[in-house]
Amino acid sequence: MINVRKTAKSKPIPAIVLHRMALYHCLLTDWLLAGRNNSTTSKELANTIGVTDATVRNDLSYLGDETGVRGVGYSISSLRGLLGRFLTLPPSAPIAFVGSTKALGSIFSFFPPEKFGFIATAFFSEDPSDRGTVVNGHEVHSIEAISPALGNLGIKVAVVATLPNWIQHSVNLLAKAGIKGVLIITPSTEVMIPDGVKVLHIRIPCDLKTLLYHANLGEEEEPSSFEMVL
Amino acid sequence: MINVRKTAKSKPIPAIVLHRMALYHCLLTDWLLAGRNNSTTSKELANTIGVTDATVRNDLSYLGDETGVRGVGYSISSLRGLLGRFLTLPPSAPIAFVGSTKALGSIFSFFPPEKFGFIATAFFSEDPSDRGTVVNGHEVHSIEAISPALGNLGIKVAVVATLPNWIQHSVNLLAKAGIKGVLIITPSTEVMIPDGVKVLHIRIPCDLKTLLYHANLGEEEEPSSFEMVL
DNA sequence: TAGATTGTTAATCGATTAACAATC
DNA sequence: TAGATTGTTAATCGATTAACAATC
């Protein structure tokens, strides 16, 4: 089989570069929404996200040739277009949500999907009292109702925010339904990942523990003891 | 000044190692809560979180000597203790929450702080209609009320889930109040980070875009064209 | 003792960066 | 043209890993 994907470099893209690609796309989208549509430079992108300009240019080289213009920079809108095509983002990507309406409804309060290029079109809850509820014009189904019908809706990724003991079952059903990517928001450390599915975890407790380490750096020992002198 | 922190290696710990430290701590906590309290090995830890056993042992070497027992492995409870001390985790760490009660109340549905070694003891909302509400036995204050009094409560880290336009202001006030670590959950790409504060971002839209890339890998071009033959 | 697993070093791997020719 | 910035290479940096002596 021939190398089909038209990347400038034919090697698989490192995960960290891919993550920055998504971040560039988010950032450029923000700029466009804020009414900005001139050029930017690798230096500006680098400063904004906290890497070097060389890293940015290296990352963008995965997009192919003629990405920027020497001496000028990158067109914000066309760079965003290239990134979107590279990431295979449609204008609005349908996603499924799994979790109680309480959890999901409130995720929407800080992450309204439509504002970020997504559209929530399928809902599944582990809470029996959610049965029959309508969210965003879509009926909330039981988790058992997760089925390959999702594929017909064009849904390829799902967000999982169930109670912990429902995570594994949800992931298994999503995988069987042909879902290719799952973002797990409920803190969890042990999830068996079925073949053919990419799973990302958000881990709020781990992040907070990391922050606590930084918060107490250099404060652990009293600076007043004798032993410190030597 | 003498190197105060008692790490085996005196170099600053790489961010990625620190992150795995927090993850080991979360994992061991899960195991203990599940009633397991025998030994584990670097191999088991490695398999569970998806790295090699050498990486695990290398990571744990930051904890000091006598971490494990040759030929045997690591005691789950004492390794957890060492990690907790290294990360400077108290039995229960007080945290502040900034955001509307709708957003915060529902974050608690998938992240109940007490279940993860945290205790939410201060609340600040940008929503005027939240004024006077009581959450977890604590009155919800306005964002302007963020003050150095937080330090007296022992609060060193905060979670921010406000609407986007309140993020920067919240972070600024938290920094001025002496908060050392902030976890921003509301998607955002441009936040100026004040000196002396460590900020982590959760970026649901970026994560979903990354997943979409994986979801469509290898599907972009029809495999039926002539040009594919050669 | 034989088997297992740690702790650690040295080798490898891969990502970041400096630097600069190309070029707008 | 002079100034700016890209695209890319080669050098650097740092993290991962293989391997094995130490030791339970």
Side-chain angles (χ1 to χ4, degrees):
Chain A
M1 235 272 194
I2 297 170
N3 176 21
V4 170
R5 184 162 268 259
K6 287 202 206 101
T7 50
K9 310 180 179 183
S10 56
K11 292 183 253 179
I13 186 168
I16 193 161
V17 175
L18 182 59
H19 182 258
R20 282 196 298 262
M21 294 286 217
L23 186 51
Y24 299 138
H25 189 271
C26 287
L27 177 59
L28 294 170
T29 303
D30 280 358
W31 284 350
L32 285 171
L33 288 175
R36 179 176 168 192
N37 192 7
N38 47 356
S39 280
T40 183
T41 63
S42 56
K43 190 138 189 16
E44 185 184 24
L45 288 166
N47 291 153
T48 310
I49 79 163
V51 295
T52 65
D53 55 336
T55 297
V56 170
R57 291 197 299 277
N58 201 33
D59 288 351
L60 297 183
S61 75
Y62 283 91
L63 297 175
D65 298 331
E66 306 177 20
T67 309
V69 181
R70 287 170 200 233
V72 179
Y74 303 88
S75 149
I76 292 182
S77 62
S78 62
L79 182 56
R80 177 176 179 276
L82 284 172
L83 285 161
R85 232 161 298 139
F86 181 84
L87 295 165
T88 71
L89 307 181
S92 184
I95 49 178
F97 274 86
V98 186
S100 71
T101 56
K102 178 162 169 36
L104 300 180
S106 64
I107 287 174
F108 287 9
S109 76
F110 50 84
F111 169 62
E114 333 76 44
K115 298 236 168 145
F116 296 93
F118 301 96
I119 180 162
T121 52
F123 296 88
F124 305 92
S125 170
E126 79 273 30
D127 184 346
S129 72
D130 278 340
R131 211 60 40 74
T133 311
V134 173
V135 177
N136 270 15
H138 298 275
E139 192 186 340
V140 178
H141 299 279
S142 88
I143 286 181
E144 304 306 324
I146 295 172
S147 81
L150 288 178
N152 303 335
L153 295 169
I155 298 176
K156 293 181 172 167
V157 302
V159 172
V160 171
T162 61
L163 294 175
N165 47 325
W166 286 88
I167 297 174
Q168 185 69 65
H169 187 50
S170 301
V171 170
N172 292 347
L173 288 176
L174 288 166
K176 229 189 266 180
I179 291 294
K180 296 287 176 36
V182 178
L183 179 60
I184 300 178
I185 299 187
T186 308
S188 61
T189 54
E190 289 191 279
V191 178
M192 277 291 315
I193 299 173
D195 281 351
V197 182
K198 173 82 182 171
V199 172
L200 294 180
H201 288 261
I202 286 175
R203 288 191 243 248
I204 294 178
C206 286
D207 289 341
L208 289 175
K209 288 173 184 181
T210 302
L211 288 173
L212 277 169
Y213 172 87
H214 289 292
N216 295 320
L217 246 192
E219 291 190 8
E220 307 85 61
E221 318 217 359
E222 293 304 304
S224 56
S225 64
F226 275 153
E227 301 88 331
M228 297 298 299
V229 180
L230 268 220
Chain B
M1 234 270 195
I2 296 169
N3 177 22
V4 170
R5 185 160 266 259
K6 288 205 205 94
T7 50
K9 310 182 179 181
S10 56
K11 290 183 257 180
I13 186 169
I16 192 161
V17 174
L18 182 60
H19 183 258
R20 282 196 298 262
M21 294 287 216
L23 186 51
Y24 299 138
H25 189 271
C26 286
L27 178 59
L28 294 170
T29 304
D30 280 357
W31 283 350
L32 285 170
L33 288 175
R36 179 175 169 193
N37 192 7
N38 47 357
S39 281
T40 183
T41 62
S42 56
K43 190 138 187 20
E44 185 185 23
L45 287 166
N47 290 153
T48 310
I49 78 163
V51 296
T52 67
D53 54 337
T55 296
V56 170
R57 292 197 299 277
N58 201 34
D59 288 352
L60 298 183
S61 74
Y62 283 90
L63 297 175
D65 299 332
E66 307 176 20
T67 308
V69 181
R70 285 170 203 235
V72 178
Y74 304 88
S75 149
I76 291 181
S77 62
S78 62
L79 182 56
R80 178 176 178 276
L82 285 172
L83 285 162
R85 231 161 299 137
F86 181 84
L87 295 166
T88 72
L89 306 182
S92 184
I95 47 178
F97 274 87
V98 186
S100 70
T101 56
K102 178 162 169 34
L104 299 181
S106 64
I107 286 173
F108 286 9
S109 77
F110 50 84
F111 168 62
E114 333 75 46
K115 299 236 167 144
F116 296 93
F118 300 96
I119 178 163
T121 52
F123 296 88
F124 305 92
S125 170
E126 79 272 30
D127 185 345
S129 71
D130 279 340
R131 211 59 41 72
T133 312
V134 172
V135 177
N136 270 14
H138 298 276
E139 192 187 338
V140 178
H141 298 279
S142 88
I143 286 182
E144 303 306 324
I146 295 172
S147 82
L150 288 177
N152 304 334
L153 296 169
I155 299 177
K156 294 180 171 167
V157 301
V159 172
V160 172
T162 61
L163 295 175
N165 47 323
W166 286 89
I167 296 175
Q168 185 68 64
H169 187 49
S170 301
V171 170
N172 293 347
L173 288 176
L174 288 166
K176 230 189 266 181
I179 291 296
K180 296 288 176 37
V182 178
L183 179 61
I184 300 177
I185 300 186
T186 309
S188 61
T189 54
E190 288 191 279
V191 178
M192 276 292 312
I193 299 172
D195 282 352
V197 182
K198 174 81 182 171
V199 173
L200 294 180
H201 288 262
I202 287 174
R203 287 191 243 249
I204 294 179
C206 285
D207 289 341
L208 289 175
K209 287 173 184 181
T210 302
L211 288 173
L212 276 168
Y213 172 86
H214 289 292
N216 294 320
L217 248 193
E219 291 189 6
E220 307 85 60
E221 319 220 358
E222 293 305 303
S224 55
S225 64
F226 274 153
E227 301 87 331
M228 298 296 300
V229 180
L230 269 217

